[in-house]
Structures are given as C-alpha cells and as structure tokens.
C-alpha cells in the first residue's frame, strides 16, 4: 500500500468517456427522430438540457488531450445542447393587447401521491379557481372527493377516464 494513489488505467477512462458520448448521442438521436417511448426514456430525453452538460467537460478534456474524434463528437453534442436550450434563452415578445386578453388558469394535480384525502385536495384546488383542471392519476375515490369538495360544480365540463 505504498504512497501510490489509486487510479484507473487511461484506457478505461477513455472507454467510459466514449460510452458516455455514445449514450448522449443516442438520446439526441432519439429526440431528433421523436421516437422516445417509455417513462425512463421520455424523462432522459426531457432532461436533455441537463443531460448534455457533461459534453462540455468531455470537449475540454478531449481538446487538451488532443483526441480529435472524441473532441469532434463532444463538440457535436455541445452544438446539440445549444440547439436544445436556444429557444428558451430569449424572451418572446407578446403581441399588443395581450395584457387586456382574458386569462386561462390551468391547474394540474396528482391526487395519487401526496394527497391522501381527496376531499381536502379538492378544497385546496377549488381555492385556486382553475379554468381547466388536469388530474392524471385519478381514481374513483379521488373523483368522489373532488365532487364532495364542490370543485366540479365550478367546472361544468369534464372528460373522465378511470
């Protein structure tokens, strides 16, 4: 156990880096083709603004080590990242008259996880005065609680699929 630090062979790090670049490239390709299916894949692709951040580190390190192919691949991922986040960087200008336009309050609520008493959740939701309410994980008990809270009296139109 002399004073030698533990380290992995450079080849292992290079392989792991290429695996990272390959995985990120696959996610970008899946997003570009619009073929993301399944919860984990949809979450990973949806998190691309964060998921692609390691590409910057790979680009810098590959450039310092003069690994042209790796730097080029990471550079393409950085470009993809910029294309993903660019639309969110600029604020859109609103058309004239927008301030006087009627508002629409859309509320989404998950009654399945953090709301064990649907009637209380319904009362809280009613105080928000939603124009549109989306409850993705609604069961019969949750629907009954929303009705008991009077929330659905304020929302005369509904589409319910239990």
């Amino acid at each position: 156990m002399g004073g030698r630090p533990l380290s992995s062979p450079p080849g292992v790090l290079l392989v792991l880096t290429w695996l990272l670049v390959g995985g990120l490239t696959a996610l970008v390709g899946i997003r570009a083709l619009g073929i993301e299916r399944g919860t984990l894949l949809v979450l990973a692709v949806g998190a691309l603004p964060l998921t692609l951040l390691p590409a910057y580190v790979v680009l810098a390190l590959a450039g310092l080590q003069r690994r042209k192919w790796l730097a080029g691949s990471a550079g393409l991922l950085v470009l993809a990242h910029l294309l993903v986040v660019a639309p969110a960087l600029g604020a859109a200008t609103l058309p004239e008259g927008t301030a006087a336009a009627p508002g629409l309050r859309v509320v989404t609520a998950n009654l399945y996880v953090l709301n064990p008493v649907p009637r209380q959740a319904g009362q809280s939701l009613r105080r928000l005065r939603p124009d549109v309410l989306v409850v993705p994980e609604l069961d019969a008990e949750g629907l009954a609680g929303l009705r008991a809270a009077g929330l659905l009296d304020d929302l005369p139109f509904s589409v319910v699929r239990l």
Side-chain angles (χ1 to χ4, degrees):
M1 296 281 208
R4 191 170 183 200
L6 293 176
S7 64
S8 59
V12 171
L13 288 177
L14 185 60
V15 168
L16 290 175
T17 304
W18 272 111
L19 287 172
L20 173 66
V21 166
L24 292 176
T25 301
L27 286 176
V28 168
I30 289 167
R31 174 64 186 103
L33 295 172
I35 57 172
E36 57 268 24
R37 303 290 184 271
T39 303
L40 290 178
L41 200 51
V42 167
L43 289 173
V45 168
L48 275 177
L50 295 175
T51 308
L52 288 173
L53 288 176
Y56 291 87
V57 176
V58 173
L59 176 60
L61 294 176
L64 289 173
Q65 294 179 357
R66 297 190 175 138
R67 298 202 177 268
K68 293 178 186 176
W69 286 100
L70 185 58
S73 299
L76 290 173
L77 287 171
V78 166
L79 178 63
H81 182 255
L82 293 174
L83 291 172
V84 166
V85 299
L89 294 179
T93 57
L94 298 175
E96 285 187 38
T98 304
L104 178 69
R105 185 181 303 246
V106 179
V107 175
T108 183
N110 187 334
L111 298 184
Y112 184 73
V113 176
L114 297 176
N115 297 292
V117 183
R119 184 180 179 140
Q120 288 176 354
Q123 291 167 344
S124 295
L125 290 169
R126 190 173 191 189
R127 284 191 292 274
L128 295 174
R129 297 187 352 252
D131 297 309
V132 176
L133 174 65
V134 179
V135 186
E137 295 182 355
L138 183 66
D139 60 10
E141 181 184 349
L143 181 59
L146 296 181
R147 282 196 176 115
L151 175 63
L152 300 183
D153 297 340
D154 301 335
L155 301 168
F157 305 102
S158 64
V159 175
V160 178
R161 293 188 187 127
L162 298 178

